[in-house]
Amino acid sequence: MAALGMIEVYGFTTSIIVADVCAKAADVQIVAIDRNKPANAEKCAVPLLMVVKFEGTPAAVQAAHDAGVEEAKSRGLYLTSRVIAGFSPEAEWFAHLPATGRDKLRNYVTKDGKQV
């Protein structure tokens, strides 16, 4: 993986739309759509935060990121985002970790077959 993009938005539907926009804007692969219900969910505009994670070349990830952020902002449901380019291959497994409980992580297998 050359680069990783992450866009955090409010709501499940928004995350699916943003993932679609990212995938259509550039040659990236959506690697995960993670959920997070904050402790103070009742104070949020939408009580569910979602993170769309995608990977590809740095240029493709940046293009997908920009398109996805624009879409989320146009809906008023954007929270934060980040593009990480050129990080170590040892950290790649983190991008693919599912947002599940620790008991589920024991069975996680990376692309190269290593079990985490």
Side-chain angles (χ1 to χ4, degrees), residues 25-66:
D27 185 20
V28 295
Q29 179 183 3
I30 306 299
V31 294
I33 300 177
D34 294 336
R35 63 177 164 63
N36 178 29
K37 185 173 181 182
N40 62 344
E42 67 279 351
K43 295 180 182 179
C44 294
V46 177
L48 184 64
L49 303 179
M50 303 293 291
V51 179
V52 178
K53 294 194 264 184
F54 46 96
E55 63 185 13
T57 66
V61 168
Q62 188 64 56
H65 168 271
D66 294 347

